[in-house]
Amino acid sequence: MVKRMIVKIDENKCTGCGKCVAPCAEGAIKIINGKAKVVSEELCDGMGFCLGICPEGAISVEERYTVEFNREKAEAQPRKKDISIHCFTCGAGEDTSYLLPLRHNMQSLWVCTHCLPKLIHG
Ligand code: SF4
Ligand SMILES: [Zn+2]
């Protein structure tokens, strides 16, 4: 056991929408009985990429004792493609563009790196 950062999901806030599942590149999150769960703590690197994606604010990152992150196992997880992930401005998907999570007007959106500068600079 090591003390490190790891994702925590608040079941009371989670609606089970599943938006956090595909963006977790390590495959650490699954929907079980209608709630998101970190199914294997050794697959969660605690980077918290999923935080901004959750529309309910159900995900946080905490520091606590858990198993060490297993990079080889995480990298061996099957990659999940989610067609709902696309740039909200131009519609580009993850096959062709780099996409970043974005919060705007209480919504969790994705934006591509081509459209992001226009949002920043107007
Ligand atoms: S994105 Fe948030 S509300 Fe949706 S399943 Fe994941 S933790 Fe639950
Ligand atoms: Zn775009």
Side-chain angles (χ1 to χ4, degrees):
M1 298 286 265
V2 292
K3 197 173 189 188
R4 66 177 182 90
M5 303 307 284
I6 187 147
V7 157
K8 180 183 172 186
I9 300 170
D10 184 338
E11 282 202 4
N12 294 323
K13 290 185 183 168
C14 175
T15 60
C17 71
K19 286 184 179 174
C20 56
V21 175
C24 176
E26 291 78 21
I29 302 178
K30 285 197 172 72
I31 304 295
I32 298 170
N33 295 330
K35 300 284 178 184
K37 293 233 167 27
V38 176
V39 286
S40 175
E41 297 201 334
E42 65 178 345
L43 294 179
C44 175
D45 61 7
M47 294 297 281
F49 187 78
C50 49
L51 261 71
I53 292 157
C54 176
E56 309 300 330
I59 307 176
S60 58
V61 173
E62 64 177 357
E63 189 178 26
R64 64 176 166 82
Y65 283 99
T66 183
V67 289
E68 248 178 291
F69 172 58
N70 188 331
R71 183 168 303 282
E72 290 84 57
K73 199 169 170 183
E75 286 176 355
Q77 293 302 302
R79 294 287 173 247
K80 299 173 292 296
K81 189 178 167 192
D82 184 340
I83 53 164
S84 70
I85 296 176
H86 58 265
C87 174
F88 83 101
T89 298
C90 72
E94 59 181 329
D95 288 348
T96 55
S97 301
Y98 293 100
L99 299 176
L100 302 164
L102 182 84
R103 291 287 295 173
H104 179 62
N105 279 344
M106 308 285 284
Q107 275 187 290
S108 295
L109 305 166
W110 294 90
V111 66
C112 79
T113 48
H114 290 290
C115 296
L116 184 62
K118 280 181 257 164
L119 290 179
I120 295 170
H121 303 294

